[in-house]
Amino acid sequence: MTAGERDGTAEEVMQLIFALRSKGVTDKRVLDAIEKTPRAAFLDRSFKDRAWEDIPLPIACGQTISQPSVVGQMTQALGATARCKVLEVGTGSGYQAAILARLARRVYSVERHRPLARQAREVIERRLHLSNVSIMTADGALGLPDQAPFDRIMVTAAAEDVPAILLEQLREGGVMVLPVGQTDDVQQLLRVEKTAEGLQYSELSPVRFVPLLEGVAADVVD
């Protein structure tokens, strides 16, 4: 790992953990996973110095890497354990997938932008040496039916409603966490639990994510 991808100073780590706790992220496993995952590794050089700040930052393809407190809230709500097979829709930088990899048995992450998928794979596999993550370029709105059912599903883009096709791929007893909203200004982070009696919904917090789009982006040419 290069100097620009350091783990962060003790002060930087302490400040970030304090920010996470102040926003309700108290699960020790989640906090440990975030502390062990160098966010700078997923950022362009010009933003690496801000990696430990609790702010969203731009990445390639017009996307963003979420602020750590939102990553922490979503990860905590998902409740992945070492026995879980997780689907992430929207790999982005790969930062969230790397954190999930430290908590779950297996993570499948789908990204519609091939450059993002390729870069995330490079960081996760070759720099962080996490071997339980599979990243692929595909239409995330369709999920991964060949790998279903999943114990946990996380969607990192906002849908107008909870996608039925993804619910079908969630096992009974499983949990999905996703932002839902029809506009950029009105989105709610939801936790959905699939039970034998039906779906149980919990509203977590207002958020702002890019929209969940169908299809694979036109930048798929290598």
Side-chain angles (χ1 to χ4, degrees):
M1 188 171 296
T2 69
E5 293 161 7
R6 54 179 174 57
D7 290 341
T9 66
E11 183 178 1
E12 286 173 326
V13 174
M14 180 179 67
Q15 288 178 344
L16 179 58
I17 296 303
F18 178 80
L20 294 173
R21 288 185 176 276
S22 70
K23 295 181 179 179
V25 183
T26 57
D27 187 309
K28 187 178 185 302
R29 294 179 66 242
V30 174
L31 292 172
D32 287 347
I34 291 175
E35 184 175 341
K36 292 175 181 176
T37 305
R39 192 170 179 239
F42 299 91
L43 293 168
D44 291 338
R45 181 174 299 177
S46 56
F47 296 107
K48 287 184 183 296
D49 288 343
R50 308 196 69 184
W52 290 88
E53 297 180 35
D54 190 29
I55 56 174
L57 291 167
I59 58 173
C61 301
Q63 307 298 300
T64 60
I65 181 172
S66 296
Q67 63 194 84
S69 59
V70 172
V71 172
Q73 289 168 11
M74 294 181 73
T75 305
Q76 180 171 270
L78 196 69
T81 70
R83 301 181 63 181
C84 287
K85 180 169 69 170
V86 179
L87 170 65
E88 180 194 30
V89 175
T91 309
S93 69
Y95 178 62
Q96 175 72 81
I99 290 170
L100 290 171
R102 300 183 189 277
L103 301 169
R105 174 175 60 85
R106 187 78 195 173
V107 178
Y108 293 88
S109 189
V110 182
E111 173 55 53
R112 68 189 300 269
H113 294 279
R114 180 169 290 178
L116 288 179
R118 184 170 56 242
Q119 186 172 355
R121 194 180 301 117
E122 169 79 16
V123 174
I124 288 174
E125 295 178 0
R126 299 190 181 182
R127 300 188 195 177
L128 302 187
H129 306 292
L130 296 171
S131 59
N132 62 335
V133 183
S134 296
I135 298 174
M136 56 211 75
T137 303
D139 184 350
L142 301 178
L144 282 179
D146 291 347
Q147 296 294 338
F150 295 95
D151 302 293
R152 302 287 188 271
I153 297 177
M154 180 182 287
V155 184
T156 61
E160 292 188 6
D161 201 354
V162 181
I165 195 166
L166 296 182
L167 283 173
E168 291 175 2
Q169 296 175 35
L170 185 66
R171 73 163 176 84
E172 186 176 303
V175 173
M176 181 188 302
V177 173
L178 76 164
V180 171
Q182 297 186 353
T183 70
D184 290 343
D185 296 326
V186 182
Q187 295 177 5
Q188 186 66 226
L189 190 62
L190 295 184
R191 181 183 187 274
V192 184
E193 185 174 357
K194 189 175 186 179
T195 73
E197 291 74 34
L199 301 173
Q200 296 183 354
Y201 296 87
S202 302
E203 292 189 354
L204 303 178
S205 62
V207 290
R208 178 175 289 185
F209 279 83
V210 297
L212 178 64
L213 301 176
E214 297 180 355
V216 175
D219 52 19
V220 296
V221 178
D222 283 320

